[in-house]
Amino acid sequence: MARVSQEHLDARRRQILDGAARCFARNGFHATSMQDVLAEAGLSAGAVYRYFRGKEELIGAIATEAFTSIRGAFEEAARTTPPPAPDVLLGAVLRLFLEERIEGADRQAFARLVIQVWTETLRNERLAETLEEGYQGMRAVWTELVTAYRENGLLRADVPSDHVARTLIATAQGFIAQQALFGDVSAEVLEDGLRGLMSMSASGNADPIR
């Protein structure tokens, strides 16, 4: 029997995850059955269950993949000296994930999927752990970035790095929620908004509001 290549295995896994993601984004986790996933992916039960034992494993794999990709983008930026400004960096990452992210799905699909993952963590302990791990990883990466901003003279020194990191993460989360709910989000909006806010602190013409 011919040996199946790793490329073939990876492509099949990708096919299953994309099919599941389309189903979840369209119908929600609980309204989607494994039969729906099989039909969407165009594969037999045996082919799918070789990779995933059920919906929870599929959901966990999709969430882990998303966190890994986003964190990788930020880690790459952190290695740049000086690092890109927050408007440029967040714009680039959201452009990557708010555009067509799921093969064969519309622009809102990934954002809708993210919202469902957040909601599902309230009842799924394993998925909650995945989310917590991803969030803490994001905080750590952003804290490093904020520290790099400060070291390069781009940020005032009297605000804790973690506070800035959490605020920037919240900004990204808010835009993902807007995309899921309203579908009118573009990376340019985020970039322009952050750039405008950044110019307020850079002007030095007003005392900080207490």
Side-chain angles (χ1 to χ4, degrees), residues 42-61:
L43 296 171
S44 67
V48 171
Y49 285 113
R50 176 180 182 181
Y51 295 85
F52 303 100
R53 289 179 293 182
K55 285 199 301 183
E56 289 201 358
E57 283 196 2
L58 282 165
I59 295 167

Side-chain angles (χ1 to χ4, degrees), residues 6 14 22 25 47 77 97 116 119 124 137 155-156 159-160 179-180 194-195 210:
Q6 186 60 48
R14 175 82 272 140
R22 288 193 296 271
F97 287 95
Q116 290 185 63
T119 303
N124 185 321
L155 184 70
R156 51 193 286 178
V159 179
Q179 175 71 344
L194 280 175
R195 194 175 301 116
R210 299 280 181 188

Side-chain angles (χ1 to χ4, degrees), residues 6-85:
Q6 186 60 48
E7 289 78 10
H8 175 82
L9 295 174
D10 291 344
R12 183 56 55 86
R13 186 177 188 275
R14 175 82 272 140
Q15 182 180 351
I16 296 167
L17 287 175
D18 284 344
R22 288 193 296 271
C23 285
F24 294 149
R26 184 169 59 241
N27 303 319
F29 293 144
H30 299 292
T32 297
S33 68
M34 282 302 291
Q35 287 301 317
D36 294 329
V37 174
L38 300 180
E40 185 73 30
L43 296 171
S44 67
V48 171
Y49 285 113
R50 176 180 182 181
Y51 295 85
F52 303 100
R53 289 179 293 182
K55 285 199 301 183
E56 289 201 358
E57 283 196 2
L58 282 165
I59 295 167
I62 290 169
T64 299
E65 184 180 75
F67 281 124
T68 300
S69 299
I70 295 172
R71 181 173 179 175
F74 286 132
E75 286 177 335
E76 182 177 352
R79 291 191 288 268
T80 304
T81 304

